[in-house]
Amino acid sequence: MNDGPGVIPLTSALYDSEGMRALDAAGMALPEIAPGELMERAGAALLAAVRAHWPDVRRLGILCGPGNNGGDGYVLARLAAQTGLDVRLHGGPSRARPESDGRQAHRRWIEHGGAVAPLEGFDPADADLWVDCLFGIGLERPLHDAYGEVVERLNASGRPVLAADIPSGVNADTGAVPGPAVRARHTVTMIADKLGLHTGAGVDCAGTVEVARLDLPEQIAREVMPRARHLGPEDWRDRLPARRPGAHKGDAGHVLVVGGAPGFSGAARLTALAALRAGAGRVTLATHEDHAAWANADRPEIMVRAVREPADLLHLARQVDVIAAGPGLGTEEWGRRLWHAVADAGVPLVVDADALNLLAATPRQTDSWVLTPHPGEAGRLLNRPAAEVEANRPGAVLELAQRFGGVCLLKGAGTLVADAGGAPLTCVTGGHAGMAVPGSGDVLTGVIVALRAQGLEARAAAEIGAAWHCAAGQALRARLGSWRGLLAGELADALPAAAGEEGA
């Protein structure tokens, strides 16, 4: 997949269930792959993960479902027993065809002296480690039957769990968890990575994710379009805007931050600070006159202008390269008037917070902005509950981009970036729970607007900004020794170190 422009390498690709079925078929069609060979390799990959992550395990429990995911478990059971592990296997009735790989794996387990205990007798205390081989990517319903009871019992036990391919109960396409779902410490996902492991509630269930390629060649993915591209820490630093040795501040762009209604000055100030930390040449904060006099008291690098009327704001807008609108803006008359002024100013925008709520009230479309909603704001833009957005984050971010134009970044676990052009989504990972603090989104807006000011296109600025934001969170956690108690201002200050050393 590396031999064409815009082609996503298999190592960065995230697939949905439809794409994975195509990859599975392509792999099984290879002349060197005998019937059942991929299942044998999957079982071996699971055993390797057991040995690598739980080397002291002696009693191995396996939960097998009715399909090919269960077949992986039967192969694992046979291979593990051959190495001397005490294997306890529970399974339900198979619905697979007699000639299927899963049924054949079940038969070989029995032929090697294995037994299948009923699910009703499952006791988590019977094993040191449990392997979830109940359901894979094909599950499209909540687990409310006997399987759901087993999953809830397993989760309540606190026993460590290794998930095969995807934790049972997690939607591989969306990351949604509509019912009980296995909470794994580690997931070994087969052939290629799945989007549902990296966004939404799926990240709470997957633990650490390892991709087992099963020794298949990358060419099987040549004709299969992934649902998304994964953007991790190693994929963005070399895309940061370069700065020549003789550069001056005017070369790095001028940012205007519009926000800070009375009582809400902090959000806009955090955005301005982050824009400076992310390399913007100049940053002007246009804010309410009630606090303009002291808004930069401890950050004199921020230029502050009191704005009372839209005319004042339009005068400033003509002097800048890009505008961040919304942090602390409010939705009262002052905020509404300023929002309509910047929306009509003809300057590229990064739209956040209250500006998104104002956009929801008076929808418009343009190709030059970046929208940065969290699920609640996305729900207001789409006129649906936030829970429905979270239930299908990939669908929601794409619908937002199509409805409002430009680029949309949907915040949350596994941040998603989309435009309306049909390209795969981008899924940005690497953040942590400690970043869920007031002002964190305002810092992200500052990073994105700074990258836009330095010449990056809208989508690149959103993708790289989100990845940089995550890296700053990781750097700050390492410095503090904990994810607890992070402050958004500290997150902004961590941006330069997170970018790494660069030559000038």
Side-chain angles (χ1 to χ4, degrees):
M1 287 185 65
N2 293 313
D3 52 353
V7 177
I8 299 174
L10 190 57
T11 51
S12 300
L14 297 172
Y15 291 88
D16 57 14
S17 53
E18 181 181 359
M20 283 309 307
R21 291 187 186 97
L23 288 181
D24 287 340
M28 288 187 288
L30 294 172
E32 66 270 24
I33 301 298
E37 175 63 24
L38 291 185
M39 191 166 285
E40 288 290 318
R41 294 182 186 182
L46 291 170
L47 181 58
V50 170
R51 291 302 194 193
H53 298 284
W54 293 276
D56 298 328
V57 161
R58 294 293 174 264
R59 297 182 304 158
L60 180 67
I62 305 173
L63 299 172
C64 288
N68 283 341
N69 202 247
D72 294 345
Y74 289 117
V75 174
L76 168 63
R78 174 169 49 82
L79 297 178
Q82 290 171 355
T83 68
L85 289 178
D86 180 7
V87 177
R88 316 288 177 90
L89 188 148
H90 292 263
S94 175
R95 296 194 296 268
R97 300 185 311 275
E99 70 276 11
S100 70
D101 291 345
R103 288 289 289 272
Q104 295 303 315
H106 175 274
R107 178 182 57 78
R108 285 192 292 272
W109 165 240
I110 299 299
E111 289 174 350
H112 281 77
V116 180
L119 286 172
E120 303 82 68
F122 163 66
D123 183 352
D126 286 342
D128 307 313
L129 168 71
W130 287 92
V131 184
D132 164 32
C133 297
L134 291 172
F135 294 96
I137 62 172
L139 185 69
E140 297 178 352
R141 60 175 178 83
L143 291 176
H144 290 317
D145 50 14
Y147 289 106
E149 295 175 7
V150 166
V151 167
E152 290 179 330
R153 207 181 313 162
L154 178 62
N155 288 341
S157 73
R159 295 284 180 175
V161 179
L162 168 66
D165 207 29
I166 192 165
S168 296
V170 175
N171 187 298
D173 297 350
T174 65
V177 178
V182 168
R183 289 182 173 264
R185 294 193 187 177
H186 189 78
T187 297
V188 177
T189 195
M190 307 304 172
I191 301 179
D193 213 345
K194 285 81 180 170
L195 178 57
L197 293 171
H198 299 282
T199 194
V203 303
D204 292 327
C205 298
T208 56
V209 177
E210 167 190 351
V211 180
R213 303 286 178 204
L214 307 187
D215 295 324
L216 290 174
E218 190 159 310
Q219 70 223 32
I220 65 167
R222 289 184 189 276
E223 305 301 324
V224 183
M225 178 69 74
R227 185 74 174 90
R229 177 191 188 115
H230 175 260
L231 187 67
E234 68 283 356
D235 300 319
W236 61 273
R237 287 185 176 89
D238 61 353
R239 296 170 62 193
L240 287 171
R243 184 172 294 189
R244 59 185 176 82
H248 57 82
K249 65 183 181 182
D251 294 332
H254 189 173
V255 165
L256 177 64
V257 178
V258 180
F264 298 96
S265 61
R269 183 186 173 283
L270 283 170
T271 298
L273 170 62
L276 285 171
R277 287 297 193 189
R282 290 178 290 172
V283 176
T284 297
L285 171 57
T287 193
H288 198 277
E289 59 186 351
D290 279 8
H291 50 254
W294 50 264
N296 66 346
D298 64 339
R299 287 292 182 187
E301 302 91 345
I302 302 172
M303 299 181 289
V304 180
R305 298 291 183 269
V307 175
R308 179 182 297 179
E309 301 292 339
D312 303 330
L313 187 59
L314 290 173
H315 173 72
L316 294 172
R318 287 192 287 268
Q319 305 173 41
V320 303
D321 299 294
V322 61
I323 299 173
L329 184 64
T331 56
E332 302 301 320
E333 182 181 1
W334 180 80
R336 287 199 306 270
R337 294 173 68 199
L338 295 192
W339 159 244
H340 290 299
V342 296
D344 291 330
V347 179
L349 285 171
V350 178
V351 185
D352 188 25
D354 288 323
L356 292 167
N357 296 326
L358 292 165
L359 175 62
T362 54
R364 61 171 71 202
Q365 187 179 79
T366 180
D367 292 333
S368 63
W369 57 24
V370 178
L371 309 182
T372 63
H374 58 55
E377 292 157 347
R380 286 187 281 277
L381 288 165
L382 296 173
N383 195 29
R384 67 187 60 153
E388 290 187 17
V389 172
E390 282 293 271
N392 187 0
R393 288 172 55 82
V397 72
L398 184 57
E399 184 178 349
L400 284 166
Q402 292 171 338
R403 183 177 298 189
F404 293 95
V407 172
C408 182
L409 179 150
L410 180 59
K411 299 172 185 172
T415 293
L416 298 176
V417 180
D419 58 39
L425 309 178
T426 301
C427 181
V428 183
T429 62
H432 56 80
M435 297 174 67
V437 295
S440 180
D442 303 313
V443 170
L444 175 58
T445 295
V447 178
I448 295 171
V449 76
L451 293 173
R452 286 288 278 137
Q454 294 170 80
L456 291 189
E457 296 297 327
R459 178 152 182 169
E463 293 172 350
I464 297 169
W468 194 357
H469 186 251
C470 288
Q474 293 288 1
L476 184 56
R477 180 173 67 174
R479 180 168 67 80
L480 297 177
S482 172
W483 59 265
R484 300 179 189 275
L486 274 67
L487 299 178
E490 296 173 324
L491 189 61
D493 288 337
L495 288 165
E501 293 294 330
E502 295 183 75

